[in-house]
Amino acid sequence: MEHGNRKNSHVFFLSMSLLFIAIFFISFALGRYPIPPQTVLKVLLSKIFPIAKTWSKSVETVIFQIRIPRIIAAIFIGSALSLSGLTFQGLFQNPMVSPDVLGTSNGAAFGAAIGILLNMHYAGIVTTSFLTGIGAVILVLAIASRVPSMPVLGMVLSGIMVSSLFTSLVSFIKLIADTQNTLPAITYFLMGSLSSIRSSDTVFLVIIITLSTIPIILIRWHLNVMTQGEEEAKSLGVNTRVIRLIAISSATLMTSVTVAVAGMIGWVGLVIPHLTRMCLGCDYRKTIPGSIIMGSTFLLLVDTIARNISTIEIPLGILTSFVGAPFFLYLIIREGKKL
């Protein structure tokens, strides 16, 4: 049985790796300025090997200044959202939990809305959004600490309240914003998009998401135990409070930086962890790398579709909802049958 599970996991990772590579090169090739895949490969390899230049300067500009930052951003954002969703679902033992359960997304959205309203520089908007996302979770944890007898329930309820508070604040900002310029900018940001990604954004994303992923990988054994319940984990010697704090901090940083850079991209953190568990089971040793590669592949595919399906680029939040909403309905029906 164990041999069969190991074989299935190997098939999964091989299949996802091949799919990722295929979508990776397709993403480079497709766009307003289409580039043949063989040319893409030559241009990329020319930075490593001495290859005769048979392409124009504009091709290099499109690949290195426009598509590489966007593709890297899609890969890291997809992996971050799926991994944070996987972490939160395990911590709270709730399959309906997503990365914004503690108010991170709504807090970051409020920070971005404030930045846009005050006509801040782009870097200022990103920084404000990132910090308010983290601040929202700190507020949730501070409130939840007042009910130590029910830490998980306290955090969930506090997260709902804080999310509602920041949603109301964003609505107020939209109400007083200039309808000609500011309001459309805020509205478009809330839909989620990678159209304005810059090279500096990718550096910011790569650093924060990488540093946040490492702790989750290191505590994967403890996360496996914590899925058995609070008391069971404590009886096995796991310091649940410390592990929960590490996991929440890491997942919060990942979620906050994705919203700060790309806006609110929903459903990825809910759908991908479930698909990963359906393929690999519940062992974090497998689901962590599985959710990373599946999340990055999924968002890279969605972003490629978003910028090629029509003359006007479709916000990512709209496309992810087309997948997420039906899947969420399926989860409700499946969980209802278990009761």
Side-chain angles (χ1 to χ4, degrees):
M1 185 69 177
E2 183 178 350
H3 175 72
N5 291 336
R6 188 182 297 114
K7 183 178 179 180
N8 290 337
S9 63
H10 289 164
V11 171
F12 170 84
F13 283 111
L14 177 60
S15 301
M16 287 306 305
S17 298
L18 293 175
L19 181 61
F20 173 81
I21 293 171
I23 296 175
F24 179 80
F25 282 103
I26 290 173
S27 298
F28 273 110
L30 299 181
R32 298 287 182 271
Y33 189 94
I35 304 172
Q38 62 270 22
T39 302
V40 172
L41 185 61
K42 287 180 181 179
V43 174
L44 294 177
L45 292 177
S46 67
K47 297 299 180 179
I48 304 175
F49 304 103
I51 298 177
K53 188 174 180 179
T54 58
W55 53 87
S56 64
K57 183 66 176 179
S58 60
V59 170
E60 286 193 7
T61 301
V62 169
I63 290 178
F64 291 111
Q65 296 185 20
I66 299 176
R67 293 191 184 161
I68 279 186
R70 184 159 184 164
I71 288 171
I72 292 176
I75 291 170
F76 276 84
I77 290 174
S79 65
L81 290 174
S82 59
L83 182 56
S84 59
L86 177 75
T87 303
F88 279 130
Q89 288 174 9
L91 282 179
F92 297 119
Q93 301 174 48
N94 189 333
M96 303 301 179
V97 165
S98 61
D100 58 357
V101 64
L102 298 184
T104 315
S105 297
N106 291 302
F110 170 70
I114 284 288
I116 296 172
L117 181 68
L118 298 178
N119 292 319
M120 288 185 179
H121 188 268
Y122 178 78
I125 295 174
V126 171
T127 303
T128 304
S129 177
F130 178 63
L131 294 177
T132 51
I134 296 174
V137 176
I138 293 175
L139 178 59
V140 168
L141 295 177
I143 297 172
S145 66
R146 308 299 297 179
V147 284
S149 59
M150 299 181 295
V152 174
L153 181 61
M155 282 188 287
V156 171
L157 294 178
S158 300
I160 293 173
M161 183 205 66
V162 170
S163 293
S164 178
L165 172 64
F166 280 112
T167 298
S168 299
L169 290 173
V170 171
S171 297
F172 176 73
I173 291 175
K174 292 169 69 175
L175 178 67
I176 64 175
D178 172 42
T179 57
Q180 297 299 317
N181 298 308
T182 308
L183 181 58
I186 295 174
T187 302
Y188 188 77
F189 173 84
L190 294 177
M191 292 181 183
S193 174
L194 298 179
S195 60
S196 61
I197 289 293
R198 307 178 182 185
S199 298
S200 57
D201 293 328
T202 60
V203 175
F204 187 40
L205 281 169
V206 170
I207 292 174
I208 298 296
I209 292 175
T210 301
L211 293 178
S212 301
T213 301
I214 293 173
I216 294 179
I217 295 175
L218 294 177
I219 63 172
R220 61 192 183 278
W221 296 96
H222 300 87
L223 291 175
N224 276 335
V225 176
M226 289 188 68
T227 58
Q228 305 301 315
E230 185 87 6
E231 297 303 322
E232 181 72 18
K234 287 182 177 179
S235 67
L236 293 173
V238 176
N239 190 331
T240 57
R241 184 176 181 181
V242 171
I243 296 301
R244 187 182 296 114
L245 182 60
I246 293 173
I248 289 175
S249 299
S250 299
T252 296
L253 285 172
M254 286 191 286
T255 304
S256 186
V257 74
T258 59
V259 177
V261 171
M264 300 180 70
I265 303 174
W267 300 101
V268 178
L270 174 64
V271 173
I272 300 302
H274 281 285
L275 292 176
T276 304
R277 283 193 294 269
M278 292 168 80
C279 296
L280 298 173
C282 299
D283 189 344
Y284 275 89
R285 294 174 299 173
K286 297 178 181 178
T287 56
I288 288 176
S291 64
I292 288 174
I293 189 170
M294 184 176 282
S296 57
T297 303
F298 173 74
L299 195 61
L300 187 58
L301 174 62
V302 171
D303 183 57
T304 303
I305 294 173
R307 59 188 173 87
N308 288 283
I309 196 172
S310 67
T311 54
I312 300 176
E313 184 169 322
I314 300 175
L316 295 179
I318 295 176
L319 291 180
T320 54
S321 295
F322 277 118
V323 176
F327 190 81
F328 186 72
L329 178 61
Y330 161 74
L331 288 178
I332 294 175
I333 294 174
R334 192 184 71 169
E335 293 300 319
K337 290 180 179 180
K338 293 181 180 179
L339 300 177

